[in-house]
Amino acid sequence: MEPPICALCGVRFDPGAATVRFSDYRPLPDGMVGHPHGLVWFCGAHLEAAEAVAHLPAEEALTTLRSNPPRNPR
Ligand SMILES: [Zn+2]
């Protein structure tokens, strides 16, 4: 598992950080250690925007989010 670093803004260990599963999410095989494909960390400020595009593959979603940055609610 990767450390909780927001894929959009790079904030580390935000208390509201959580992972989003994108459409290309693939769970790790049993017993395998690592970070699953399509599972991406976002800080609390970007989580909602990320979940709104979770129907896309991770790379496409990140491109969309970066070209159309969500407003920071804080
Ligand atoms: Zn962020």
Side-chain angles (χ1 to χ4, degrees):
M1 196 73 163
E2 289 172 353
I5 298 172
C6 179
L8 265 191
C9 67
V11 161
R12 292 162 178 258
F13 303 102
D14 183 80
T19 52
V20 174
R21 289 181 184 189
F22 289 97
S23 69
D24 55 347
Y25 171 71
R26 300 279 179 276
L28 289 174
D30 281 348
M32 192 166 156
V33 177
H35 191 84
H37 186 77
L39 189 72
V40 183
W41 279 104
F42 292 94
C43 70
H46 291 132
L47 190 59
E48 200 178 316
E51 283 172 341
V53 290
H55 59 285
L56 299 170
E59 278 307 313
E60 203 177 318
L62 284 171
T63 303
T64 302
L65 290 169
R66 283 177 186 134
S67 64
N68 185 19
R71 277 180 299 159
N72 194 323
R74 284 181 289 189

